[in-house]
Each structure stands twice: as C-alpha cells, then as structure tokens.
Amino acid sequence: MKTLLVAALIVGAMGTSTMAQENRIDRVRPDAPELAAPGSHAIGVRTIELVNKDQVDILNVEAGKPHPHYDRPLTIEVWYPAEGDAVGGTYEGVFLRDGVTQVSLQGRAVRDAAPKKAETGAWPLVVISHGYPGNRFLLSHLAENLATKGYVVASIDHTDSTYNDQAKFGSTLVNRSLDQIFVLNEMDRLSKDAASFLNGIADASNAGLVGYSMGGYGAVITAGGGVTEASTKYEWGAPDGTLAIHQAGSATHEALPDPRYKAAIVFAPWGMERGFWDAEGLKGIEIPMFFVAGSVDDVSGYEKGIKAIYEQAVSSDRYLLTFENANHNAAAPMPAPAESWKVSEKLGWAPFDHYADPVWDTVRMNNIAQHFATAFLGRELKGDESMDAYLELVENAEDGVWAVNEDKSFKPEHTYWKGFSDRTAKGLSLMHAMPAAD
C-alpha cells in the first residue's frame, strides 16, 4: 500500500510538471489545414519600448476643461525571421486574464536571435492589436506562425487595456486606432535606423493589420470605418467628445487611414451592435478585409454585429469566415495556459473562460486561422496568386464534395475546401464579396 502511495505521488508530481510545461502556443494538430504548418524560417523575438509623445490623457479628461496631455508608453513584442536553425524558447512572466497570475509560455521563437535579411527588399510587416483587456501575447500563436513564413510581426501592449493595466474603457475607444498607426510609423522609423535590429528587416510600406475584439474595433477605424456622431456622445464612452476624432467625415478621420496598411484580418470586431458604425461610415473601408467570427458571439454580436460590418463595408474586397456555434473567442486567443484552469480569487471564475470556447477546440481554431491568414496575407502582401485557390471556395464547407481517385488525385467534381482533408472543414463557412460598383 505504501509503495502504491509513493508511486501515485511520483506520477502526480510528474503530471504537475508536465502540465507546467504544456503552455505551448505552437501546436499544429494532425487534422490542421495545409497552410497551418510553420514556414521554413527560424524565428527570433525581441521586446521594445516605445513612447507616443503628447497624447490626450483620456483618463484625466474633464468635461469643459482643456484636455491634459501625456507621453503614452507602449510595449511591443516583435517576431522576425532569424538566422540559423534554432527552434524553441520561453516567454516568461506573461500575465493571465486576472492581471495577477504570471505564467511561462513555450513557442518556436529564440529570444534575441540574429535577424535574417530577405533575399530581396525586406519582410512585410504585420501589426497585431489585442482585445480589452488583453496583452501582446494573446495572439502569439499567429505571430510566430507568420514570422516563420517571412513576416516581421509587431504585437502591441495597449496601455490602459492590458490585464495588469486595465483602465477606463474610453481610453481604449480613442487610443486603439491611434496606437495602430503610431506603431506602424515607429516600425518604419526603426527599419531605417542603422542602430536598430530592424534596420533593413521590416517593410512598413507593405503592412497588414490584425485585430481581435477591441483590436478589431480599432482596425475597422484604421481601415477607414469612421464612427457615428451618436457614438461620440455616449455617457459611458469616451469623455468630452474625445472620440470625435474618429467620426466619419471629420477631417481627423479622413486623414487617419494609412496607405501602407494594405489589408486587415479582423477577429470578432466589437462595436456595431452598440451603434459605433452605420452603412455610410463603413463605406470608408477600401482595403481588403478578412473577418473572422463565431456564429453565436454574445459580445460583438453576429448577425447585427460582425456580419453586419462585413455586409456594409461595401467598398472593400472582403471575406467572412464563420465558426458555427463558436462564441467571442473564435480563433483569436492562444490556448488557455494550464494555470488558467484554476478559479481566480480576484475574478471569481477561471481565466480559462477568457481563452477557450465551449464548442470548438482552441488549437483547432488557431490552426484554421493560421491557414487562412497565410493565404490572405500571402496574396495581399506578397502577391502570391497561388493563394487564391485557398480562398475561392464554396461558401458552406458542408456543401463541398470530396471526390478522389485511387491515385489520390482529385476528380473533376471535387469541390471540398482546398487544404482541408476530408470531413475536416465541418462547421465552417466562408463568404466573399467584391467591392460594389460605383
């Protein structure tokens, strides 16, 4: 009996140790679609600190008084193709949703690895913007995956909007899009700075934007979707008219969209159901957009939320990928760290709920997102026309026909989603709409 107890304790200790090492962000399931696999490049990662000077201090604005200003700090995680073939590293001290617990994540990137120059020019840039609250590691699985495929990826910690720095919502409403433009400018500056590791590495003139939830809200504005006048006056929103800089038709918003952002991937963008956009404002979006949604999203809404943005962004070549019966966490968040399974004393619930979906496996959704991000950005930023075949699909995957010859070649009647094995696209749909004729 004593021997059995000792053995059980050893197994239990081994299990705990194993769980502590299982916070991987780079898993690819055997049933993942073709383009989910990592690319050919080893990757590095570095953390940089930026300061956006003389910004309106939204948290201290008082109605009827001059708006105070401050220097706004932003922490950025940068992934990039690296020299050599080393794979594997750890991200230490990553905060969970409770803003208290810190964990370690395991991935493919090597900290401070030497950057690799592109054979011609520089690597396209992708900027990632998290939700409210969130942090720069929330979409790190996608950041690493894109870096292995020849992109420099900059993921933002949005001040006043991170797990351990969550402040009034008004700051997020005003600053999210401004941060996205500022980081684009800074990455451009650093790519031309001989003293920076990014010198000659990142091509900020050929950039993509990825946003989740409030990051998606910001991406819609950055892409040209000006907000309604009514939304600038919400009592619970941005104080004293500070959101008016993003109002459709205003001089400030007309000047905001940057032509260096060539395309955007937007997961569960928040705001449409709350009246932040209308059809007229969404006409301002002209760059290609790839929307990702869960069909039962109860935070951003689906029919009157994300899908409505997709439908009304009529000036854009756009897609809408839908995960049937998924909620707000569809495809964007990384797999829930092992430590998040425990109920938080601060929150009163397990942070696991912030990362996971009740129906869909997170790694499965991440893999699908990696697949489509590879196709969409490959076409829009790299001009790879071979990616079209992964995007030109029958709308409902269920309607696709799997038809294969004995030699595994496809029959003429084969219409199943390219890159997906038989039965693995179940529960997905992909809508596509071209810009409306003038």
Side-chain angles (χ1 to χ4, degrees):
M1 183 70 177
K2 185 175 181 180
T3 302
L4 291 174
L5 177 60
V6 171
L9 290 172
I10 292 173
V11 171
M14 290 175 63
T16 302
S17 175
T18 300
M19 284 292 288
Q21 297 302 315
E22 284 300 309
N23 294 337
R24 299 209 64 88
I25 61 172
D26 60 344
R27 286 194 176 96
V28 178
R29 288 178 25 151
D31 59 355
E34 179 184 345
L35 302 181
S40 60
H41 300 287
I43 57 173
V45 63
R46 302 193 189 192
T47 307
I48 61 177
E49 303 291 341
L50 302 175
V51 177
N52 194 2
K53 295 184 177 181
D54 197 30
Q55 299 301 295
V56 175
D57 186 0
I58 303 297
L59 299 182
N60 292 301
V61 165
E62 296 183 39
K65 294 184 179 181
H67 295 168
H69 286 65
Y70 76 130
D71 292 342
R72 179 173 170 81
L74 294 170
T75 300
I76 314 297
E77 204 75 4
V78 181
W79 289 265
Y80 51 89
E83 295 287 358
D85 55 7
V87 175
T90 303
Y91 306 95
E92 302 287 359
V94 178
F95 280 97
L96 290 186
R97 169 63 179 84
D98 62 6
V100 176
T101 307
Q102 296 183 65
V103 304
S104 297
L105 306 176
Q106 290 76 42
R108 300 180 65 85
V110 176
R111 178 66 60 178
D112 297 326
K116 180 180 181 179
K117 296 274 189 179
E119 291 184 4
T120 58
W123 308 109
L125 172 68
V126 176
V127 174
I128 293 181
S129 184
H130 62 72
Y132 173 86
N135 67 19
R136 64 191 190 274
F137 296 104
L138 187 59
L139 280 76
S140 53
H141 59 91
L142 181 57
E144 280 202 350
N145 191 272
L146 290 173
T148 68
K149 293 166 179 172
Y151 297 88
V152 171
V153 184
S155 186
I156 309 169
D157 258 2
H158 291 281
T159 301
D160 305 330
S161 190
T162 65
Y163 302 130
N164 60 316
D165 180 37
Q166 185 177 354
K168 292 179 181 178
F169 193 47
S171 175
T172 295
L173 289 172
V174 176
N175 285 310
R176 190 51 59 98
S177 185
L178 300 179
D179 289 349
Q180 293 167 357
I181 294 294
F182 171 71
V183 169
L184 176 66
N185 288 332
E186 285 296 280
M187 293 297 288
D188 187 34
R189 177 182 66 81
L190 291 171
S191 72
K192 299 169 183 174
D193 183 351
S196 172
F197 75 97
L198 287 167
N199 183 42
I201 298 298
D203 182 4
S205 70
N206 185 28
L209 178 59
V210 176
Y212 167 52
S213 193
M214 289 310 298
Y217 155 91
V220 170
I221 294 173
T222 300
V227 302
T228 61
E229 180 180 4
S231 69
T232 70
K233 299 176 181 179
Y234 293 155
E235 290 185 6
W236 52 266
D240 202 35
T242 48
L243 186 60
I245 61 170
H246 298 319
Q247 184 175 330
S250 67
T252 46
H253 184 258
E254 291 290 335
L256 179 71
D258 194 305
R260 293 174 295 178
Y261 274 131
K262 308 296 186 186
I265 299 174
V266 187
F267 296 87
W270 179 91
M272 189 66 178
E273 282 196 329
R274 307 307 197 280
F276 277 83
W277 294 288
D278 57 22
E280 190 61 32
L282 291 171
K283 285 182 182 178
I285 300 174
E286 297 182 350
I287 63 173
M289 303 284 283
F290 194 99
F291 296 94
V292 182
S295 69
V296 295
D297 189 325
D298 60 8
V299 175
S300 296
Y302 181 69
E303 289 290 344
K304 297 181 180 179
I306 306 159
K307 187 178 179 183
I309 299 174
Y310 161 80
E311 290 172 339
Q312 295 179 33
V314 296
S315 304
S316 168
D317 180 1
R318 60 209 187 274
Y319 294 85
L320 173 60
L321 175 67
T322 301
F323 290 80
E324 188 66 31
N325 291 320
N327 209 304
H328 188 60
N329 296 343
M334 65 183 180
E339 295 87 347
S340 73
W341 290 49
K342 181 181 178 181
V343 173
S344 163
E345 292 184 5
K346 178 181 177 181
L347 298 174
W349 46 274
F352 173 90
D353 295 345
H354 175 74
Y355 305 92
D357 182 81
V359 175
W360 284 79
D361 173 68
T362 298
V363 176
R364 175 70 176 145
M365 290 193 293
N366 290 165
N367 291 166
I368 293 168
Q370 291 156 1
H371 171 86
F372 281 109
T374 301
F376 180 69
L377 295 177
R379 188 185 71 180
E380 301 301 339
L381 300 188
K382 294 187 175 183
D384 186 350
E385 294 182 359
S386 70
M387 294 295 103
D388 287 348
Y390 296 93
L391 298 167
E392 297 172 354
L393 310 172
V394 295
E395 183 174 309
N396 295 305
E398 292 281 350
D399 296 333
V401 175
W402 183 267
V404 181
N405 294 304
E406 290 185 3
D407 63 358
K408 297 184 179 181
S409 63
F410 293 123
K411 296 180 179 179
E413 62 268 29
H414 180 84
T415 58
Y416 207 73
W417 282 16
K418 183 173 174 60
F420 285 76
S421 299
D422 190 16
R423 300 187 297 174
T424 63
K426 188 176 180 63
L428 297 169
S429 66
L430 183 68
M431 301 177 70
H432 180 213
M434 296 295 291
D438 294 333

